[in-house]
């Protein structure tokens, strides 16, 4: 570098003179760029910071429960096959699907052992678990019916359901233990409360030994409409009375929400809860029927409170959306909407 007048320098190979001030500034700039590059390289090595959870979008806390959906939310069997229901549930992001036992269709007394094994294999092929079995047959054939023929048929069908569950390697069977009243049937004679309890205990008791041998859990469901086991304390007393791990609780959040609150039952039932229905309910209406149940989040259930109580009892099982009205148009929408809602409730988003 040669010296020039006025304290300027001309670097080698450069014809334009550069002031000493500019040269120093350029040096500082290059040093800053090097430091910035070094800092960026260090930042690149660090794991990205976890995004801040927005409680308006979903639960800030991630819960351990698994997502499931009941088959009644699908237009089965009229517009979808069993395979299509399972595949859609899988595609929508569900961990499991709850299947319904009926007098006809794929899962029924007509199904052979080979048929039942085929359903298990189908679920395995698709990659979805069967979270439990459920049935409407407990209504036409109540386990506490005053009609012995209906009562015995109900016990017979419950036994067949337990056998089907065992064959399909399904642990959970929902059981409606009895009914004082059935508002949607006109062929049910009301049963006095004490008689209902006695008949229900006798019926469930006859199923316990078989369930124990099969490794199936008979899970008693709470249902306000049937006028039986109306408080969690009554449910606990009923379940504990059998002294068997094969008799537990299938807790339904919507079935007690007419006059009570879903989160209040959870700590009282405690570890007895083996499986759960997430049914949305609205206290804003006055139509106390199946029409008061809503798609998830379109009701008055305090889901954050429910989840906090479930976390306190270390619940890691399935939470299954139950809904009785498949959408008449574009039925896939309900399935995907439900999956999204459960993701938000469970803090998966």
């Amino acid at each position: 570098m040669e010296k020039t007048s006025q304290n300027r320098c001309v670097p080698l190979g450069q014809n334009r003179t550069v002031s000493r001030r500019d040269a120093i500034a350029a040096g500082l700039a290059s040093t800053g760029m090097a430091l910035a590059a070094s800092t960026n390289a260090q930042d690149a090595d660090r794991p990205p910071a976890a995004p801040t959870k927005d409680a308006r979008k979903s639960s800030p806390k991630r819960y351990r429960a698994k997502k499931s959906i009941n088959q009644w939310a699908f237009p089965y069997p009229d517009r979808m096959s069993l395979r299509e229901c399972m595949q859609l549930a899988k595609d929508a992001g569900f961990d499991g699907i709850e299947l319904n036992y009926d007098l006809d269709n794929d899962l029924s007394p007509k199904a052979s052992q080979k048929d039942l094994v085929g359903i298990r294999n189908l679920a395995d092929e698709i990659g979805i678990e069967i979270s439990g079995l459920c049935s409407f047959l407990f209504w036409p054939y109540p386990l506490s019916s005053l009609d012995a023929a209906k009562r015995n048929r109900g016990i017979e069908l419950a036994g067949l359901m337990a056998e089907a569950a065992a064959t399909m390697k399904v642990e959970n069977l929902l059981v409606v233990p009895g009914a004082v009243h059935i508002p949607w049937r006109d062929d049910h004679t009301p049963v006095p409360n004490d008689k209902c309890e006695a008949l229900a205990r006798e019926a469930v008791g006859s199923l316990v030994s078989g369930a124990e041998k099969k490794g199936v859990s008979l899970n008693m469901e709470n249902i306000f409409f049937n006028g039986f086991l109306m408080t969690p304390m009554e449910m606990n007393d009923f379940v504990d009375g059998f002294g068997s791990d094969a008799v537990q609780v299938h807790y339904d959040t919507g079935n007690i929400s007419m006059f009570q609150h879903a989160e209040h039952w959870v700590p009282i039932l405690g570890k007895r809860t083996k499986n759960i229905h997430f049914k949305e309910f609205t206290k804003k209406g006055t139509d106390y029927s199946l029409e008061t149940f809503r798609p998830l989040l379109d009701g008055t259930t305090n889901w954050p409170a429910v989840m906090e109580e479930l976390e306190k009892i270390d619940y890691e099982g399935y939470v299954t959306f139950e809904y009785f009205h498949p959408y008449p148009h574009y039925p896939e929408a309900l399935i995907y909407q439900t999956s999204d809602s459960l993701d938000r409730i469970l803090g998966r988003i």
Side-chain angles (χ1 to χ4, degrees):
M1 185 180 292
E2 57 178 322
K3 289 187 177 180
T4 65
S5 60
Q6 297 180 353
N7 199 27
R8 292 180 180 274
C9 300
V10 180
L12 294 176
Q14 181 172 308
N15 295 325
R16 185 175 65 84
T17 60
V18 179
S19 71
R20 187 176 299 277
R21 179 181 295 173
D22 290 344
I24 292 172
L28 290 173
S30 62
T31 301
M33 291 173 63
L35 287 172
S38 174
T39 301
N40 289 338
Q42 292 175 7
D43 289 344
D45 292 335
R46 295 194 189 103
T52 302
K53 284 277 195 173
D54 187 339
R56 297 171 300 176
K57 295 181 180 179
S58 71
S59 167
K61 185 174 182 178
R62 173 70 182 255
Y63 294 100
R64 292 170 287 172
K66 295 175 285 188
K67 290 168 52 179
S68 174
I69 187 168
N70 183 280
Q71 195 178 3
W72 282 315
F74 300 76
Y76 170 87
D78 298 335
R79 299 176 63 193
M80 280 189 187
S81 66
L82 178 59
R83 173 183 284 274
E84 287 175 319
C85 292
M86 287 186 171
Q87 187 64 60
L88 176 55
K90 174 66 176 179
D91 292 344
F94 287 94
D95 304 309
I97 184 171
E98 184 177 53
L99 300 183
N100 301 319
Y101 193 96
D102 207 342
L103 291 179
D104 294 298
N105 303 320
D106 296 277
L107 187 54
S108 73
K110 298 178 181 178
S112 66
Q113 189 167 36
K114 181 179 179 181
D115 294 331
L116 297 173
V117 171
I119 294 174
R120 170 77 265 172
N121 292 339
L122 176 60
D124 292 341
E125 174 192 332
I126 290 172
I128 193 165
E129 190 51 76
I130 302 174
S131 61
L133 299 189
C134 188
S135 180
F136 260 134
L137 295 177
F138 290 107
W139 301 119
Y141 305 104
L143 298 184
S144 62
S145 176
L146 295 174
D147 184 327
K150 287 184 179 180
R151 186 171 68 251
N152 291 334
R153 177 58 170 159
I155 295 171
E156 178 189 17
L157 287 169
L160 291 174
M161 292 177 208
E163 288 180 13
T167 300
M168 295 190 294
K169 299 179 181 178
V170 175
E171 184 179 10
N172 293 305
L173 171 62
L174 183 153
V175 175
V176 179
V180 170
H181 176 62
I182 304 177
W184 47 83
R185 297 194 66 90
D186 56 12
D187 60 347
H188 177 73
T189 301
V191 183
N193 295 65
D194 57 345
K195 185 68 172 177
C196 180
E197 180 173 7
L199 291 173
R201 286 189 182 277
E202 180 181 349
V204 174
S206 70
L207 299 167
V208 172
S209 177
E212 290 175 337
K213 293 175 183 177
K214 297 177 179 69
V216 173
S217 183
L218 306 173
N219 301 326
M220 307 297 115
E221 186 183 27
N222 56 287
I223 303 175
F224 236 90
F225 297 112
N226 66 358
F228 183 50
L229 304 179
M230 302 285 281
T231 70
M233 291 76 75
E234 290 175 282
M235 176 64 82
N236 289 350
D237 182 67
F238 184 83
V239 167
D240 293 349
F242 296 98
S244 172
D245 289 339
V247 182
Q248 300 292 338
V249 174
H250 185 118
Y251 177 49
D252 189 304
T253 62
N255 283 348
I256 53 89
S257 290
M258 187 185 300
F259 303 118
Q260 299 187 35
H261 300 268
E263 64 272 22
H264 295 169
W265 279 58
V266 176
I268 301 173
L269 295 176
K271 297 288 188 179
R272 299 172 185 83
T273 298
K274 192 71 183 298
N275 213 354
I276 297 178
H277 274 161
F278 268 15
K279 264 214 306 284
E280 183 64 271
F281 184 92
T282 178
K283 285 181 165 68
K284 295 180 180 179
T286 56
D287 175 20
Y288 295 138
S289 71
L290 296 181
E291 304 306 316
T292 57
F293 298 120
R294 311 297 308 144
L296 280 180
L297 303 180
D298 183 28
T300 55
T301 307
N302 187 343
W303 293 113
V306 171
M307 291 311 306
E308 276 302 294
E309 293 300 331
L310 287 174
E311 187 75 356
K312 290 176 185 176
I313 65 169
D314 297 319
Y315 185 77
E316 296 180 334
Y318 289 97
V319 291
T320 299
F321 174 66
E322 185 186 34
Y323 193 62
F324 309 105
H325 307 293
Y327 286 176
H329 306 293
Y330 319 119
E332 287 192 2
L334 175 62
I335 312 306
Y336 280 95
Q337 288 167 6
T338 300
S339 180
D340 179 81
S341 295
L342 279 174
D343 279 343
R344 296 176 192 278
I345 292 172
L346 299 176
R348 294 190 179 189
I349 292 178

